[in-house]
Amino acid sequence: MRLSGVFGPVAEWPGQDLVALSHEFDAELVVEAYRAGVFPMPLHEAGWPAGTMGWWSPVHRGILPLDDIRVTRSLRKSARHYTTTVDRRFAEVMERCGDPSRPGGWIDGDITRVYTQLYDAGLAHSVEVWTPDGRLAGGLYGVGLGGLFAGESMFHDPEIGRDASKVALLRLVRVLDDGHERLLDVQWVTDHLATLGAVEVDRDDYLRLLGEALDVPAPDWAAAREDGPHAGDA
């Protein structure tokens, strides 16, 4: 059943991160969800029926302020060993992010199918990080709507990609930070993201920031894609 009015009035949402469940899952619903401050993540734990999609709006939402990103000396040094591209290998980045051997993996076939559709529609984007000999060392993907970029997942290759996911995030910030006030949503603050400056905001504050960001022009993703490989941005 399609969720009426997306997810109903915010005042009626439960005081927890998981705000709704559904068995329906398509690209249109995902776009509606992001515009409402909600994102999908399937429930694979025991006890949930197969195909149950969870819809989440964290009570304490993680964001990364673009003007407060932290770049350590060691990260600057590490970044020099890579180049970065935008929207060149979306499918491969999703595949690597969804590696079933990763702890806590949640990217399943339905997620891959729908986000690939969003990429084809110009609404999902990837950043790739490459070694000098052309191997994919890390990357990230997410959804861009106006001035919102909702980061979904990132990865690094443990053998060749030390700091590669962080380098991908630095390239993303360069794309987003072009003088407009944009919102980089990271869902939850992890220790990894906290080292880069991610902070938590209350749900109500996030929804206010989201409303402002959706009215901001999107960055020029086509230009970023055609810009070619960049030296690791730090």
Side-chain angles (χ1 to χ4, degrees), residues 18 21 41-54 56 104-106:
L18 180 62
L21 304 171
M41 186 175 290
L43 295 168
H44 292 153
E45 295 87 350
W48 293 104
T52 302
M53 183 60 65
W56 307 78
W106 54 273

Side-chain angles (χ1 to χ4, degrees), residues 51-227:
T52 302
M53 183 60 65
W55 298 91
W56 307 78
S57 181
V59 174
H60 303 293
R61 189 71 163 248
I63 65 170
L64 182 57
L66 299 181
D67 55 358
D68 286 335
I69 190 165
R70 300 172 190 162
V71 184
T72 64
R73 182 180 300 176
S74 63
L75 179 55
R76 289 183 189 279
K77 183 177 179 180
S78 180
R80 298 189 189 107
H81 298 289
Y82 303 107
T83 58
T84 61
T85 56
V86 174
D87 284 347
R88 295 295 184 89
R89 292 290 188 275
F90 182 87
E92 189 171 351
V93 169
M94 274 213 76
E95 180 181 2
R96 298 289 292 275
C97 287
D99 183 346
S101 68
R102 295 181 69 185
W106 54 273
I107 299 173
D108 59 16
D110 287 336
I111 291 286
T112 300
R113 170 180 55 81
V114 166
Y115 281 79
T116 300
Q117 292 172 354
L118 293 172
Y119 171 73
D120 291 340
L123 298 177
H125 303 278
S126 62
V127 177
E128 304 85 26
V129 180
W130 305 92
T131 63
D133 59 355
R135 290 179 291 171
L136 186 63
L140 62 80
Y141 80 93
V143 172
L145 298 171
L148 166 71
F149 188 86
E152 281 297 310
S153 187
M154 58 175 61
F155 84 96
H156 73 279
D157 186 307
E159 295 185 1
I160 62 172
R162 178 178 176 270
D163 290 332
S165 60
K166 292 182 179 180
V167 174
L169 196 58
L170 296 178
R171 177 67 189 273
L172 174 65
V173 169
R174 276 196 62 170
V175 173
L176 299 177
D177 192 15
D178 62 0
H180 292 281
E181 292 290 331
R182 296 199 172 94
L183 177 61
L184 177 49
D185 170 17
V186 297
Q187 301 179 347
W188 290 283
V189 176
T190 63
D191 291 342
H192 178 74
L193 290 169
T195 64
L196 289 165
V199 297
E200 290 183 341
V201 296
D202 291 340
R203 179 189 282 165
D204 287 345
D205 289 333
Y206 173 80
L207 294 176
R208 175 182 55 78
L209 293 170
L210 172 64
E212 295 170 356
L214 291 173
D215 289 333
V216 173
D220 192 340
W221 290 106
R225 184 184 189 282
E226 297 304 322
D227 202 15

Side-chain angles (χ1 to χ4, degrees), residues 9-47:
V10 174
E12 297 179 6
W13 291 2
Q16 61 184 29
D17 293 356
L18 180 62
V19 298
L21 304 171
S22 77
H23 289 291
E24 180 182 6
F25 183 61
D26 58 32
E28 180 183 356
L29 183 54
V30 170
V31 172
E32 292 175 356
Y34 282 113
R35 291 187 176 278
V38 179
F39 58 86
M41 186 175 290
L43 295 168
H44 292 153
E45 295 87 350

